[in-house]
């Protein structure tokens, strides 16, 4: 049996495109994802006196604590829209890749 019968161009191409190491995302995709937030609406929960609501850590098997809704408000606003661009030089790109 010849090796050329086993290793065809189609088999090598399939192996190359489906290899696990080829599916690892690039570092920049984690920092700058392709999925963007649609719209300019922002919503968050504020507690008493406008302070943010903090959560306290608990164990996995602990009973959850109930929290009053008194003094908690849902704030909605619209994000400001900015449009800017930057020039990324080769030295900057090399510095990013080094990180």
């Amino acid at each position: 049996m010849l090796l050329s019968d086993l290793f065809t161009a189609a088999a090598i191409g399939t192996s190359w495109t489906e290899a696990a190491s080829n599916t690892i995302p690039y570092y920049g995709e984690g920092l700058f994802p392709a999925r963007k937030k649609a719209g300019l609406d922002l919503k968050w929960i504020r507690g008493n006196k406008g302070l943010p609501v903090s959560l306290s850590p608990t164990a996995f098997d602990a009973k959850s604590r109930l929290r009053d809704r008194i003094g908690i408000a849902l704030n909605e606003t619209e994000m400001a829209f900015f449009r800017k661009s930057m020039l990324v030089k080769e030295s900057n790109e090399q510095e990013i890749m080094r990180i």
Side-chain angles (χ1 to χ4, degrees), residues 3 12 23 26 32 60 67 91 95:
L3 286 178
I12 293 173
T23 60
Y26 292 111
F32 308 104
F60 284 112
R67 181 185 294 244
S91 60
E95 191 69 29

Side-chain angles (χ1 to χ4, degrees), residues 19-68:
S21 63
N22 291 338
T23 60
I24 298 171
Y26 292 111
Y27 186 68
E29 291 177 10
L31 295 175
F32 308 104
R35 186 176 54 108
K36 307 271 185 208
K37 182 184 181 329
L40 299 174
D41 298 330
L42 294 176
K43 297 177 185 176
W44 68 93
I45 298 174
R46 291 259 181 196
N48 193 14
K49 299 179 184 174
L51 299 173
V53 176
S54 63
L55 300 175
S56 54
T58 58
F60 284 112
D61 57 350
K63 185 178 178 184
S64 62
R65 299 180 193 158
L66 293 177
R67 181 185 294 244
D68 286 337

